[in-house]
C-alpha cells in the first residue's frame, strides 16, 4: 500500500488490511516514508493489558518500541494500561473487569502481555485468568487469529528440528478464535446415567462462523503463496465434516488459491516431518491452539511468535502466543521479541501503518544480526542478555534503521 494511502485511515475492516499485508508489498524509499509521515500526525489510542508473570516486563519493552517507531513515522499514541487476568483477580476479584473491556473496545488496538500463573490455577472456572482472556476475545469479537511461524536464518540453530527441515519455514496458522469447543454449549460438569461424574464440552460451528474464517484464510493465502490447507478431523467429527463442507463452498470464491485438506493428527505429524509443505493453515479453535504451539517450536522458541486477532470491525487484539512463564517472571529473563513483533502486527493489521511495522520488524532482525539473544534463543558465540537489554538494542535499531539483511 502506498504511504499516502495510509494517512488518516482508521481501521474498520481488518480483512482490508490483510490485503495490504502482502509478502511482496513494494518497499518504499526512506525519503518517501519521511515526507509522508511529516504530512500529518496520526493519533491512536492503545489499550495495554500487561497481565501476569512476564507480561508486565515484555509489555513495558514493547510499549517503548511502539512509541519510538510510531514517532518516527508521524504517529502519536495514547496508552492506557488496564488490569487483566490474575492481576485483575487480585485487584478487583474478576479476571476481566468491565472497565478493562470497555476501555479495550473504545481503543484503536489492544496489546496484551500474558495471563495466568500457579496462584490462580485451582480457581473456579469463572475466576481463572484464562476465562478473562476468552471473555476479552469474545467481547472484542476477534474471531480470526493469525499466528505466523517463521524460521529466521539467525535462529535456525535454536530449532529442535534438523537444520535442513527447519530452514526456510514460513507459515501462517489462521485459527478460529471465538467458536468451537472453547465456547460451545452445552458444557459443564454433571453425572451420567450410570451415576458417574462427568465433564463435557461441545464442538459446534455455525455456517457463518466457518465462512468468515475461511474467507480470512483464503485472503491471507492469496497474499502469500496461494496455498491453503484446512485442518480438521472430518473422518470422525460431524463439526469437522461440516467445517470441510463450508470451506469447500467458500473455495469457489477463490479459484486462484490451491486448497487442500488434512486431518489434524496427520497435520501434527507433517509439521515436524516436512513443515515447508505448508504455507497458510486454517483450522478451528482448539486445533489452532495446539498446532500453533507446535509450529512455534519449529522456529526455535515460543518466545519469538506474535499473533493478531481480528474481527469484522473494531479494535484488534495483539499478543505473543507464549504464556506468562511464572518461573522466570520478575527476573529480567523473558524474551520480549514476540510482544515487540505483536506490536508490529498491531501497526500493520490493526492500524494499517505498514511503514512503522516494517521499522520494528527490521529492528528485531538487526538486533538478532548483532548477536543479542535472550536465554531461550541463546546459542554459543552470541551475547546473552536480559529482557531490558535486548529491548534497548531493538530501540537503537528502530532509531537508526539499517537495511534488514535477513
Ligand atoms: C493461547 C492460549 C490460550 C488459548 C489460553 C491461555 C486460554 O493457550 O492463546 O494459545 O487456549 O487460546
Ligand atoms: Mg495456546
Amino acid at each position: 500500500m502506498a504511504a499516502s494511502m495510509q494517512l488518516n485511515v482508521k481501521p474498520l475492516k481488518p480483512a482490508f488490511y490483510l490485503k495490504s499485508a502482502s509478502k511482496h508489498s513494494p518497499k518504499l524509499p526512506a525519503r518517501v516514508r519521511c515526507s509522508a509521515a511529516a504530512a500529518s500526525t496520526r493519533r491512536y489510542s492503545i489499550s495495554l493489558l500487561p497481565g501476569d508473570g512476564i507480561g508486565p516486563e515484555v509489555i513495558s519493552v514493547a510499549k517503548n518500541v511502539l512509541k519510538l517507531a510510531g514517532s518516527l513515522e508521524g504517529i502519536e499514541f495514547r496508552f492506557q494500561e488496564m488490569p487483566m487476568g490474575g492481576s485483575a483477580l487480585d485487584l478487583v476479584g474478576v479476571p476481566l473487569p468491565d472497565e478493562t473491556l470497555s476501555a479495550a473496545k473504545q481503543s484503536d488496538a489492544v496489546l496484551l502481555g500474558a495471563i495466568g500463573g500457579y496462584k490462580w490455577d485451582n480457581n473456579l472456572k469463572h475466576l481463572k485468568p484464562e476465562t478473562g482472556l476468552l471473555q476479552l476475545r469474545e467481547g472484542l469479537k476477534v474471531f480470526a487469529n493469525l499466528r505466523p511461524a517463521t524460521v529466521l536464518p539467525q535462529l535456525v540453530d535454536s530449532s529442535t528440528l534438523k537444520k535442513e527441515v527447519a530452514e526456510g519455514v514460513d507459515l501462517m496458522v489462521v485459527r478460529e478464535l471465538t467458536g468451537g469447543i472453547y465456547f460451545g454449549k452445552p458444557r459443564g460438569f454433571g453425572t451420567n446415567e450410570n451415576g458417574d461424574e462427568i465433564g463435557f464440552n461441545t464442538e459446534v460451528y455455525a455456517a457463518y462462523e466457518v465462512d468468515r474464517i475461511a474467507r480470512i484464510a483464503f485472503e491471507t493465502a492469496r497474499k502469500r503463496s496461494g496455498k491453503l490447507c484446512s485442518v480438521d478431523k472430518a473422518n470422525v467429527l460431524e463439526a469437522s465434516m461440516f467445517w470441510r463442507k463450508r470451506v469447500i463452498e467458500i473455495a469457489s470464491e477463490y479459484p486462484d488459491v490451491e486448497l487442500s485438506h488434512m486431518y489434524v493428527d496427520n497435520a501434527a505429524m507433517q509439521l515436524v516431518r516436512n513443515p515447508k509443505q505448508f504455507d497458510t493453515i486454517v483450522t478451528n479453535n482448539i486445533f489452532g491452539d495446539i498446532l500453533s504451539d507446535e509450529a512455534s517450536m519449529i522456529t526455535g522458541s515460543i518466545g519469538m511468535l506474535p499473533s493478531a486477532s481480528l474481527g469484522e470491525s473494531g479494535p484488534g487484539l495483539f499478543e505473543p502466543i507464549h504464556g506468562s512463564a511464572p518461573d522466570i517472571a520478575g527476573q529480567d529473563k523473558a524474551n520480549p521479541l514476540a510482544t515487540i513483533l505483536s506490536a508490529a502486527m498491531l501497526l500493520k493489521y490493526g492500524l494499517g501503518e505498514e511503514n512503522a511495522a516494517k521499522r520494528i520488524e527490521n529492528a528485531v532482525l538487526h538486533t538478532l544480526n548483532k548477536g543479542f539473544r535472550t536465554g531461550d534463543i541463546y546459542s554459543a558465540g552470541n551475547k546473552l542478555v536480559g529482557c531490558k537489554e535486548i529491548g534497548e538494542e531493538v530501540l537503537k535499531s528502530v532509531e537508526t534503521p539499517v537495511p534488514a539483511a535477513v
Side-chain angles (χ1 to χ4, degrees):
M1 190 202 287
S4 58
M5 284 173 65
Q6 292 183 22
L7 301 178
N8 300 320
V9 175
K10 272 245 181 162
L12 287 172
K13 294 227 172 240
F16 169 76
Y17 290 108
L18 283 176
K19 285 185 188 143
S20 69
S22 165
K23 262 185 173 177
H24 310 293
S25 56
K27 283 206 175 80
L28 294 165
R31 192 171 41 79
V32 176
R33 288 209 304 266
C34 291
S35 59
S40 77
T41 300
R42 281 93 70 216
R43 290 189 177 80
Y44 301 106
S45 67
I46 307 292
S47 291
L48 294 177
L49 313 181
D52 312 317
I54 59 170
E57 300 164 55
V58 293
I59 282 289
S60 128
V61 169
K63 175 187 172 184
N64 291 338
V65 172
L66 195 52
K67 217 166 152 177
L68 180 61
S71 73
L72 293 167
E73 294 289 345
I75 300 166
E76 228 175 67
F77 291 111
R78 195 171 54 80
F79 294 102
Q80 189 178 15
E81 220 170 274
M82 300 296 287
M84 154 92 200
S87 48
L89 276 163
D90 288 352
L91 208 65
V92 288
V94 290
L96 179 67
D98 291 344
E99 296 74 18
T100 298
L101 179 59
S102 68
K105 280 182 176 169
Q106 282 160 34
S107 61
D108 292 309
V110 182
L111 187 64
L112 170 76
I115 50 105
Y118 313 126
K119 184 175 174 190
W120 310 283
D121 274 354
N122 297 321
N123 281 13
L124 290 173
K125 198 190 141 228
H126 70 285
L127 297 177
K128 281 184 180 296
E130 290 78 2
T131 302
L133 179 56
L134 298 189
Q135 289 167 347
L136 180 67
R137 291 171 178 172
E138 189 180 29
L140 293 175
K141 299 188 171 69
V142 284
F143 65 86
N145 183 212
L146 307 185
R147 297 189 162 191
T150 310
V151 174
L152 300 174
Q154 297 89 337
L155 298 184
V156 70
D157 292 326
S158 307
S159 177
T160 48
L161 298 184
K162 285 189 195 132
K163 189 172 179 186
E164 60 270 28
V165 177
E167 206 164 37
V169 167
D170 178 9
L171 59 89
M172 176 74 90
V173 177
V174 180
R175 170 188 178 193
E176 200 291 324
L177 201 63
T178 53
I181 201 163
Y182 273 57
F183 293 91
K185 293 197 179 100
R187 64 188 298 159
F189 302 101
T191 314
N192 70 10
E193 57 279 10
N194 302 324
D196 293 322
E197 265 191 86
I198 57 166
F200 55 98
N201 292 88
T202 302
E203 167 74 354
V204 55
Y205 274 107
Y208 80 92
E209 292 177 295
V210 186
D211 293 2
R212 66 185 181 180
I213 192 72
R215 286 197 178 95
I216 296 278
F218 278 108
E219 297 282 348
T220 305
R222 180 179 265 175
K223 297 295 161 201
R224 292 171 51 91
S225 78
K227 261 175 58 182
L228 177 64
C229 179
S230 172
V231 172
D232 59 38
K233 189 68 185 172
N235 50 346
V236 177
L237 304 176
E238 284 80 357
S240 272
M241 295 170 202
F242 181 68
W243 173 281
R244 190 177 283 213
K245 187 177 104 177
R246 291 309 313 167
V247 171
I248 290 171
E249 183 79 29
I250 299 301
S252 63
E253 298 169 22
Y254 300 88
D256 52 319
V257 176
E258 182 193 323
L259 173 67
S260 61
H261 304 274
M262 202 179 273
Y263 299 138
V264 65
D265 47 351
N266 186 26
M269 180 179 74
Q270 295 298 335
L271 267 175
V272 285
R273 194 185 74 86
N274 174 21
K276 273 184 280 227
Q277 70 186 284
F278 296 106
D279 181 75
T280 307
I281 292 175
V282 62
T283 192
N284 70 10
N285 204 342
I286 191 155
F287 298 160
D289 178 43
I290 298 164
L291 293 181
S292 61
D293 266 28
E294 189 187 359
S296 79
M297 259 306 115
I298 305 169
T299 73
S301 172
I302 198 167
M304 290 299 299
L305 292 201
S307 83
S309 304
L310 309 167
E312 299 286 359
S313 62
L317 170 63
F318 302 84
E319 48 176 321
I321 82 161
H322 62 67
S324 58
D327 50 325
I328 57 162
Q331 299 169 38
D332 193 36
K333 285 185 180 161
N335 180 351
L337 297 181
T339 313
I340 293 174
L341 291 169
S342 299
M345 288 190 96
L346 180 156
L347 288 162
K348 177 151 93 180
Y349 293 99
L351 306 178
E353 296 282 359
E354 294 214 19
N355 294 338
K358 200 87 212 123
R359 260 184 196 274
I360 295 182
E361 287 165 8
N362 287 347
V364 167
L365 292 178
H366 188 221
T367 303
L368 294 172
N369 284 341
K370 287 190 289 182
F372 293 98
R373 301 283 188 276
T374 43
D376 56 318
I377 50 173
Y378 177 75
S379 57
N382 289 305
K383 290 167 227 163
L384 182 63
V385 289
C387 180
K388 283 194 188 125
E389 195 175 341
I390 205 162
E392 291 300 322
E393 289 303 327
V394 173
L395 280 174
K396 281 185 209 160
S397 298
V398 167
E399 182 92 64
T400 324
V402 293
V406 185

mmCIF file of all heavy atoms in Angstrom, residues 48 56-68 79 111 336-343 360 387 391 395:
data_model
loop_
_atom_site.group_PDB
_atom_site.id
_atom_site.type_symbol
_atom_site.label_atom_id
_atom_site.label_comp_id
_atom_site.label_asym_id
_atom_site.label_seq_id
_atom_site.Cartn_x
_atom_site.Cartn_y
_atom_site.Cartn_z
ATOM 1 N N LEU A 48 -3.205 -1.140 26.826
ATOM 2 C CA LEU A 48 -2.149 -2.074 27.196
ATOM 3 C C LEU A 48 -2.655 -2.938 28.340
ATOM 4 O O LEU A 48 -3.072 -2.420 29.379
ATOM 5 C CB LEU A 48 -0.905 -1.319 27.671
ATOM 6 C CG LEU A 48 -0.153 -0.466 26.647
ATOM 7 C CD1 LEU A 48 1.000 0.266 27.336
ATOM 8 C CD2 LEU A 48 0.380 -1.317 25.501
ATOM 9 N N PRO A 56 4.015 -7.957 32.311
ATOM 10 C CA PRO A 56 4.402 -6.556 32.501
ATOM 11 C C PRO A 56 5.787 -6.226 31.943
ATOM 12 O O PRO A 56 5.997 -5.153 31.384
ATOM 13 C CB PRO A 56 4.357 -6.387 34.029
ATOM 14 C CG PRO A 56 3.385 -7.428 34.494
ATOM 15 C CD PRO A 56 3.540 -8.582 33.554
ATOM 16 N N GLU A 57 6.738 -7.161 32.073
ATOM 17 C CA GLU A 57 8.103 -6.890 31.566
ATOM 18 C C GLU A 57 8.121 -6.754 30.056
ATOM 19 O O GLU A 57 8.751 -5.842 29.505
ATOM 20 C CB GLU A 57 9.057 -8.055 31.933
ATOM 21 C CG GLU A 57 9.204 -8.317 33.410
ATOM 22 C CD GLU A 57 9.827 -9.686 33.694
ATOM 23 O OE1 GLU A 57 10.915 -9.973 33.177
ATOM 24 O OE2 GLU A 57 9.213 -10.471 34.452
ATOM 25 N N VAL A 58 7.440 -7.686 29.377
ATOM 26 C CA VAL A 58 7.515 -7.650 27.907
ATOM 27 C C VAL A 58 6.673 -6.504 27.348
ATOM 28 O O VAL A 58 7.035 -5.896 26.337
ATOM 29 C CB VAL A 58 7.121 -9.023 27.271
ATOM 30 C CG1 VAL A 58 8.155 -10.076 27.623
ATOM 31 C CG2 VAL A 58 5.729 -9.486 27.655
ATOM 32 N N ILE A 59 5.604 -6.164 28.043
ATOM 33 C CA ILE A 59 4.759 -5.054 27.567
ATOM 34 C C ILE A 59 5.501 -3.731 27.720
ATOM 35 O O ILE A 59 5.432 -2.866 26.844
ATOM 36 C CB ILE A 59 3.404 -5.014 28.332
ATOM 37 C CG1 ILE A 59 2.466 -6.080 27.788
ATOM 38 C CG2 ILE A 59 2.753 -3.633 28.256
ATOM 39 C CD1 ILE A 59 1.912 -5.843 26.403
ATOM 40 N N SER A 60 6.226 -3.582 28.828
ATOM 41 C CA SER A 60 6.907 -2.308 29.026
ATOM 42 C C SER A 60 7.964 -2.082 27.933
ATOM 43 O O SER A 60 8.105 -0.970 27.405
ATOM 44 C CB SER A 60 7.472 -2.258 30.453
ATOM 45 O OG SER A 60 8.800 -1.933 30.473
ATOM 46 N N VAL A 61 8.656 -3.142 27.534
ATOM 47 C CA VAL A 61 9.634 -3.028 26.452
ATOM 48 C C VAL A 61 8.922 -2.743 25.122
ATOM 49 O O VAL A 61 9.307 -1.838 24.358
ATOM 50 C CB VAL A 61 10.478 -4.334 26.356
ATOM 51 C CG1 VAL A 61 11.316 -4.347 25.093
ATOM 52 C CG2 VAL A 61 11.371 -4.477 27.580
ATOM 53 N N ALA A 62 7.869 -3.493 24.844
ATOM 54 C CA ALA A 62 7.164 -3.339 23.555
ATOM 55 C C ALA A 62 6.532 -1.957 23.433
ATOM 56 O O ALA A 62 6.489 -1.369 22.342
ATOM 57 C CB ALA A 62 6.108 -4.430 23.405
ATOM 58 N N LYS A 63 6.068 -1.429 24.564
ATOM 59 C CA LYS A 63 5.460 -0.087 24.542
ATOM 60 C C LYS A 63 6.483 0.949 24.074
ATOM 61 O O LYS A 63 6.179 1.819 23.238
ATOM 62 C CB LYS A 63 4.959 0.254 25.953
ATOM 63 C CG LYS A 63 4.418 1.654 26.086
ATOM 64 C CD LYS A 63 4.102 1.955 27.549
ATOM 65 C CE LYS A 63 3.738 3.414 27.730
ATOM 66 N NZ LYS A 63 3.531 3.748 29.147
ATOM 67 N N ASN A 64 7.692 0.865 24.617
ATOM 68 C CA ASN A 64 8.738 1.823 24.226
ATOM 69 C C ASN A 64 9.082 1.711 22.747
ATOM 70 O O ASN A 64 9.299 2.718 22.075
ATOM 71 C CB ASN A 64 10.006 1.589 25.059
ATOM 72 C CG ASN A 64 9.785 1.979 26.510
ATOM 73 O OD1 ASN A 64 8.892 2.756 26.820
ATOM 74 N ND2 ASN A 64 10.586 1.405 27.395
ATOM 75 N N VAL A 65 9.112 0.474 22.262
ATOM 76 C CA VAL A 65 9.440 0.256 20.846
ATOM 77 C C VAL A 65 8.324 0.832 19.963
ATOM 78 O O VAL A 65 8.573 1.519 18.964
ATOM 79 C CB VAL A 65 9.656 -1.257 20.572
ATOM 80 C CG1 VAL A 65 9.814 -1.523 19.086
ATOM 81 C CG2 VAL A 65 10.871 -1.775 21.344
ATOM 82 N N LEU A 66 7.096 0.565 20.367
ATOM 83 C CA LEU A 66 5.938 1.063 19.612
ATOM 84 C C LEU A 66 5.945 2.591 19.559
ATOM 85 O O LEU A 66 5.736 3.213 18.498
ATOM 86 C CB LEU A 66 4.669 0.556 20.318
ATOM 87 C CG LEU A 66 3.323 0.619 19.603
ATOM 88 C CD1 LEU A 66 3.390 -0.025 18.229
ATOM 89 C CD2 LEU A 66 2.260 -0.092 20.448
ATOM 90 N N LYS A 67 6.221 3.177 20.715
ATOM 91 C CA LYS A 67 6.235 4.637 20.831
ATOM 92 C C LYS A 67 7.275 5.251 19.899
ATOM 93 O O LYS A 67 6.981 6.197 19.153
ATOM 94 C CB LYS A 67 6.609 4.982 22.279
ATOM 95 C CG LYS A 67 5.906 6.175 22.841
ATOM 96 C CD LYS A 67 6.120 6.137 24.330
ATOM 97 C CE LYS A 67 6.093 7.518 24.914
ATOM 98 N NZ LYS A 67 6.237 7.472 26.366
ATOM 99 N N LEU A 68 8.469 4.678 19.925
ATOM 100 C CA LEU A 68 9.551 5.239 19.115
ATOM 101 C C LEU A 68 9.293 5.027 17.619
ATOM 102 O O LEU A 68 9.401 5.966 16.823
ATOM 103 C CB LEU A 68 10.893 4.599 19.515
ATOM 104 C CG LEU A 68 12.105 5.107 18.740
ATOM 105 C CD1 LEU A 68 12.312 6.604 18.960
ATOM 106 C CD2 LEU A 68 13.369 4.349 19.153
ATOM 107 N N PHE A 79 -1.538 5.738 25.427
ATOM 108 C CA PHE A 79 -1.580 4.409 26.036
ATOM 109 C C PHE A 79 -2.437 4.430 27.296
ATOM 110 O O PHE A 79 -2.343 5.360 28.098
ATOM 111 C CB PHE A 79 -0.177 3.943 26.406
ATOM 112 C CG PHE A 79 0.716 3.711 25.214
ATOM 113 C CD1 PHE A 79 1.678 4.648 24.865
ATOM 114 C CD2 PHE A 79 0.595 2.567 24.449
ATOM 115 C CE1 PHE A 79 2.517 4.434 23.776
ATOM 116 C CE2 PHE A 79 1.422 2.345 23.350
ATOM 117 C CZ PHE A 79 2.389 3.288 23.009
ATOM 118 N N LEU A 111 -3.001 -4.281 23.089
ATOM 119 C CA LEU A 111 -1.770 -5.082 23.175
ATOM 120 C C LEU A 111 -1.751 -5.773 24.535
ATOM 121 O O LEU A 111 -1.794 -5.122 25.581
ATOM 122 C CB LEU A 111 -0.540 -4.176 23.012
ATOM 123 C CG LEU A 111 0.814 -4.879 22.923
ATOM 124 C CD1 LEU A 111 0.911 -5.759 21.677
ATOM 125 C CD2 LEU A 111 1.955 -3.853 22.910
ATOM 126 N N PRO A 336 11.304 -10.495 25.023
ATOM 127 C CA PRO A 336 10.199 -9.590 24.679
ATOM 128 C C PRO A 336 9.923 -9.524 23.162
ATOM 129 O O PRO A 336 9.058 -8.782 22.732
ATOM 130 C CB PRO A 336 10.723 -8.232 25.162
ATOM 131 C CG PRO A 336 12.208 -8.333 24.950
ATOM 132 C CD PRO A 336 12.591 -9.777 25.158
ATOM 133 N N LEU A 337 10.693 -10.316 22.372
ATOM 134 C CA LEU A 337 10.592 -10.137 20.916
ATOM 135 C C LEU A 337 9.222 -10.524 20.372
ATOM 136 O O LEU A 337 8.724 -9.896 19.426
ATOM 137 C CB LEU A 337 11.717 -10.894 20.192
ATOM 138 C CG LEU A 337 13.130 -10.409 20.519
ATOM 139 C CD1 LEU A 337 14.172 -11.205 19.738
ATOM 140 C CD2 LEU A 337 13.298 -8.915 20.230
ATOM 141 N N ALA A 338 8.577 -11.533 20.950
ATOM 142 C CA ALA A 338 7.240 -11.908 20.467
ATOM 143 C C ALA A 338 6.250 -10.757 20.695
ATOM 144 O O ALA A 338 5.374 -10.507 19.860
ATOM 145 C CB ALA A 338 6.750 -13.170 21.175
ATOM 146 N N THR A 339 6.411 -10.064 21.815
ATOM 147 C CA THR A 339 5.498 -8.938 22.097
ATOM 148 C C THR A 339 5.842 -7.748 21.209
ATOM 149 O O THR A 339 4.959 -7.042 20.713
ATOM 150 C CB THR A 339 5.568 -8.549 23.587
ATOM 151 O OG1 THR A 339 5.478 -9.733 24.363
ATOM 152 C CG2 THR A 339 4.426 -7.622 23.968
ATOM 153 N N ILE A 340 7.134 -7.543 20.982
ATOM 154 C CA ILE A 340 7.561 -6.465 20.080
ATOM 155 C C ILE A 340 7.024 -6.745 18.670
ATOM 156 O O ILE A 340 6.504 -5.846 17.990
ATOM 157 C CB ILE A 340 9.108 -6.348 20.082
ATOM 158 C CG1 ILE A 340 9.580 -5.858 21.451
ATOM 159 C CG2 ILE A 340 9.588 -5.434 18.972
ATOM 160 C CD1 ILE A 340 11.097 -5.839 21.632
ATOM 161 N N LEU A 341 7.118 -8.012 18.258
ATOM 162 C CA LEU A 341 6.595 -8.356 16.927
ATOM 163 C C LEU A 341 5.062 -8.298 16.899
ATOM 164 O O LEU A 341 4.458 -8.038 15.853
ATOM 165 C CB LEU A 341 7.104 -9.739 16.494
ATOM 166 C CG LEU A 341 8.618 -9.789 16.191
ATOM 167 C CD1 LEU A 341 9.099 -11.229 16.034
ATOM 168 C CD2 LEU A 341 8.954 -8.972 14.930
ATOM 169 N N SER A 342 4.438 -8.509 18.051
ATOM 170 C CA SER A 342 2.977 -8.339 18.121
ATOM 171 C C SER A 342 2.625 -6.863 17.949
ATOM 172 O O SER A 342 1.603 -6.513 17.347
ATOM 173 C CB SER A 342 2.418 -8.845 19.458
ATOM 174 O OG SER A 342 2.684 -10.226 19.610
ATOM 175 N N ALA A 343 3.498 -5.990 18.480
ATOM 176 C CA ALA A 343 3.296 -4.549 18.286
ATOM 177 C C ALA A 343 3.411 -4.209 16.798
ATOM 178 O O ALA A 343 2.681 -3.361 16.274
ATOM 179 C CB ALA A 343 4.299 -3.757 19.114
ATOM 180 N N ILE A 360 9.888 -1.833 12.924
ATOM 181 C CA ILE A 360 10.054 -2.717 14.088
ATOM 182 C C ILE A 360 10.573 -4.086 13.647
ATOM 183 O O ILE A 360 11.507 -4.634 14.236
ATOM 184 C CB ILE A 360 8.724 -2.859 14.865
ATOM 185 C CG1 ILE A 360 8.332 -1.508 15.471
ATOM 186 C CG2 ILE A 360 8.830 -3.932 15.939
ATOM 187 C CD1 ILE A 360 7.067 -1.520 16.299
ATOM 188 N N CYS A 387 15.786 -9.204 29.268
ATOM 189 C CA CYS A 387 14.634 -8.609 28.598
ATOM 190 C C CYS A 387 14.853 -7.119 28.304
ATOM 191 O O CYS A 387 14.643 -6.645 27.184
ATOM 192 C CB CYS A 387 13.426 -8.814 29.523
ATOM 193 S SG CYS A 387 11.873 -8.172 28.927
ATOM 194 N N GLY A 391 15.655 -5.213 24.659
ATOM 195 C CA GLY A 391 14.715 -4.134 24.315
ATOM 196 C C GLY A 391 15.453 -2.858 23.941
ATOM 197 O O GLY A 391 15.115 -2.186 22.958
ATOM 198 N N LEU A 395 15.453 -0.807 20.403
ATOM 199 C CA LEU A 395 15.196 0.646 20.324
ATOM 200 C C LEU A 395 16.273 1.339 19.493
ATOM 201 O O LEU A 395 15.970 2.180 18.648
ATOM 202 C CB LEU A 395 15.156 1.254 21.725
ATOM 203 C CG LEU A 395 13.854 1.095 22.506
ATOM 204 C CD1 LEU A 395 14.035 1.623 23.917
ATOM 205 C CD2 LEU A 395 12.685 1.789 21.809
#
